[in-house]
Amino acid sequence: MTATPPPSVRSYHVNSGDGIDGLTLRTHEPRTPGVGEVAVAVRAVSLSFRDLLVLRGQYVLPVKPDVIPVSDGAGQVVAVGPGVQRVRPGDRVTATLFPQWQDGPLESSYLPQLGGSLDGMLTEIAVLPEQALVPVPEHLSYTEAATLPCAAVTAWNALTGDSPGIQPGHTVLTTGSGGVSLFVVQLAKLLGARVIATTGQAEKEQRLRDLGADEVVNYRSVPDWHAAVRDSTGGRGVDRVVDTAGTLEQSLKSLALNGHVAFVGSLSGDWPPLDPRLLFGVAATVRALAVGSHAQFTRLNEIISAHQLRPVTDRVFRFEEAGAAFRHYESASPFGKVIIEIP
């Protein structure tokens, strides 16, 4: 089934390494979806740190030349190609960052990713593989749903992607107040955990508490924040750290015996040396994350729907303001996701 395609489509393009100034808005003919493909009218996208790395030329996976950037978006199906069975025109959908990764461990054949080696979502019409699509929870707007594919799925994987995952009564520490960390606070509370968050900005402390954090430690006023974290647990340490900032040494020092670090990455790009004795001292497990699978995204949406969870958004920009949106995300230290709406 197909709908009449628009006569033209606008898309942003960039070469990795050209930075925000390299974003170019172009008009072109729409592409008809092929076998197993779906055309989605994108209504909103959200920015992640990964997207900045693509623009800076620092992303760890391949990026194709002249890519349409941004992995996270939500919209409405407008046309389907031959053989498509999961969706139909009119459905509200978002998409997994790794379209081929349906379930189980990450494999090399699953590495093609939206906004990197595949064209992404910063476009009026995205043509996507059917298997990438995930229904939008009914209570969420397109703006809210666009926040989920990278940050929320990563947070869910960090909390539940190992066995047995977070259990009621566990204590979870999340570092910083970026998009992944905010979802960690919300989701860990739903799983019955006690949550400790760190931030470097005093004005964010109460906002983290309002979101559900039981304790907040300011790492600027308390440089040895791992000691404060241990004190807040009676010296035992936390069961799990979701490390989004690359502070692996202090994360390990915060752990209880047999604790787990879900390692998301480094905001600074620095990778300081690590003393292996820190690992042995608490018999730690450190797991590096790569967002998550379609199955994990589907389970996450079930939890979001059951609890009517709403993502935290910071500011919404117009499609024509994509460069300004990236600059705001890069420099303003937003609390919540930065959104670009597409009419």
Side-chain angles (χ1 to χ4, degrees):
M1 178 183 291
T2 61
T4 302
S8 62
V9 171
R10 295 181 299 166
S11 304
Y12 280 93
H13 296 254
V14 72
N15 287 309
S16 185
D18 285 353
I20 297 173
D21 291 336
L23 285 168
T24 303
L25 182 60
R26 298 185 198 150
T27 301
H28 55 91
E29 292 184 1
R31 183 167 76 82
T32 300
V35 175
E37 291 185 325
V38 178
V40 176
V42 183
R43 301 304 185 203
V45 303
S46 75
L47 303 184
S48 297
F49 188 66
R50 169 195 178 276
D51 301 316
L52 276 181
L53 294 177
V54 168
L55 267 59
R56 293 170 180 171
Q58 298 174 335
Y59 191 47
V60 297
L61 294 177
V63 178
K64 74 170 192 167
D66 200 40
V67 68
I68 297 174
V70 182
S71 61
D72 293 16
Q76 187 175 49
V77 174
V78 293
V80 300
V84 170
Q85 297 181 345
R86 295 185 185 179
V87 298
R88 61 186 179 181
D91 287 351
R92 299 195 317 143
V93 296
T94 183
T96 55
L97 190 148
F98 296 99
Q100 303 299 324
W101 188 9
Q102 295 296 292
D103 200 356
L106 181 62
E107 299 181 8
S108 58
S109 60
Y110 303 158
L111 289 180
Q113 9 80 44
L114 298 182
S117 56
L118 305 173
D119 281 331
M121 303 292 279
L122 197 53
T123 177
E124 292 176 319
I125 301 288
V127 178
L128 302 166
E130 175 189 21
Q131 67 265 31
L133 300 181
V134 180
V136 169
E138 290 185 4
H139 71 288
L140 295 185
S141 67
Y142 287 123
T143 296
E144 293 170 318
T147 69
L148 301 178
C150 187
V153 175
T154 298
W156 182 249
N157 188 359
L159 295 171
T160 69
D162 60 296
S163 181
I166 288 301
Q167 302 297 307
H170 280 181
T171 301
V172 174
L173 166 67
T174 188
T175 60
S177 53
V180 173
S181 292
L182 298 187
F183 277 116
V184 168
V185 173
Q186 292 177 291
L187 294 170
K189 292 300 293 183
L190 293 182
L191 293 171
R194 178 172 179 255
V195 180
I196 305 172
T198 70
T199 181
Q201 298 174 278
E203 63 272 19
K204 292 183 177 181
E205 293 178 24
Q206 188 57 50
R207 298 183 73 178
L208 285 165
R209 292 189 180 94
D210 293 342
L211 195 63
D214 297 283
E215 301 283 345
V216 180
V217 179
N218 190 312
Y219 60 77
R220 297 197 189 279
S221 58
V222 186
D224 292 333
W225 50 263
H226 63 277
V229 168
R230 295 196 75 87
D231 286 346
S232 72
T233 63
R236 174 182 176 273
V238 301
D239 299 286
R240 179 164 309 220
V241 182
V242 181
D243 188 335
T244 68
T247 54
L248 192 52
E249 179 176 337
Q250 287 185 282
S251 293
L252 290 167
K253 290 179 178 178
S254 304
L255 274 186
L257 191 64
N258 296 310
H260 182 112
V261 177
F263 193 49
V264 176
S266 171
L267 291 177
S268 67
D270 296 329
W271 302 97
L274 180 68
D275 185 345
R277 288 175 294 185
L278 292 173
L279 294 166
F280 286 101
V282 289
T285 298
V286 178
R287 182 168 61 100
L289 302 185
V291 192
S293 67
H294 189 284
Q296 288 174 308
F297 199 166
T298 300
R299 178 56 180 152
L300 165 66
N301 276 350
E302 292 172 357
I303 297 297
I304 288 173
S305 296
H307 294 274
Q308 297 289 286
L309 183 148
R310 291 195 177 275
V312 182
T313 58
D314 173 81
R315 184 174 169 184
V316 178
F317 290 81
R318 295 182 296 110
F319 186 58
E320 296 79 9
E321 300 175 316
F326 268 101
R327 291 186 183 92
H328 175 76
Y329 178 74
E330 182 178 48
S331 63
S333 186
F335 190 90
K337 299 293 286 181
V338 176
I339 309 294
I340 300 172
E341 283 189 333
I342 305 174

